[in-house]
Amino acid sequence: QITVKGKRGTLFRNFGHLQVDIRMIGKKTIKVEKWFSSRKELAAVNTVCSHINNLFTGVQRGYRYKMKSVYAHFPINVAISEAGRKVEVRNFLGEKYTRIINMPE
């Protein structure tokens, strides 16, 4: 299990399902190794390294998610209300019902 702490919080990830060796060599260096494996199994090493880099990015800079609403026939109307606390979706699949989603803090 890898635990990363930073100014934006703490993230952890468990790589127990992969047969890789993960060690800290220095204060800022992590070594991921896999012994006696095929080409497909070696791809897991680069995947683990990418996940660890994403953990570092998450606790240092964070991520911003953008959502885009698209439609094929019925034009969807999305409105943000109550200072970003609620999202109202109108005309979803031609419905008359207005869907209201409460956003987490």
Side-chain angles (χ1 to χ4, degrees):
Q1 181 170 344
I2 302 285
T3 304
V4 180
K5 296 178 184 175
K7 63 181 180 181
R8 290 186 171 264
T10 303
L11 292 174
F12 61 91
R13 188 80 191 245
N14 190 2
F15 297 108
H17 62 284
L18 298 171
Q19 280 72 37
V20 293
D21 296 332
I22 303 172
R23 288 183 280 137
M24 279 192 73
I25 297 213
K27 192 171 182 182
K28 294 187 176 185
T29 308
I30 297 174
K31 189 171 190 178
V32 180
E33 290 180 321
K34 182 153 181 65
W35 295 86
F36 307 113
S37 59
S38 66
R39 187 173 163 213
K40 282 197 170 189
E41 292 172 345
L42 279 176
V45 173
N46 202 16
T47 301
V48 170
C49 292
S50 297
H51 281 295
I52 293 171
N53 282 333
N54 290 340
L55 289 174
F56 287 133
T57 303
V59 297
Q60 289 173 354
R61 287 181 286 186
Y63 285 99
R64 175 176 291 212
Y65 297 99
K66 293 184 180 182
M67 185 171 68
K68 190 176 191 178
S69 65
V70 295
Y71 61 91
H73 186 271
F74 300 105
I76 301 171
N77 187 359
V78 179
I80 298 173
S81 61
E82 294 185 22
R85 291 198 179 109
K86 289 189 177 183
V87 177
E88 297 177 356
V89 181
R90 290 187 181 85
N91 202 25
F92 180 71
L93 298 177
E95 295 176 339
K96 296 295 180 187
Y97 174 70
T98 301
R99 296 172 183 245
I100 299 173
I101 298 106
N102 294 321
M103 299 301 288
E105 291 295 321

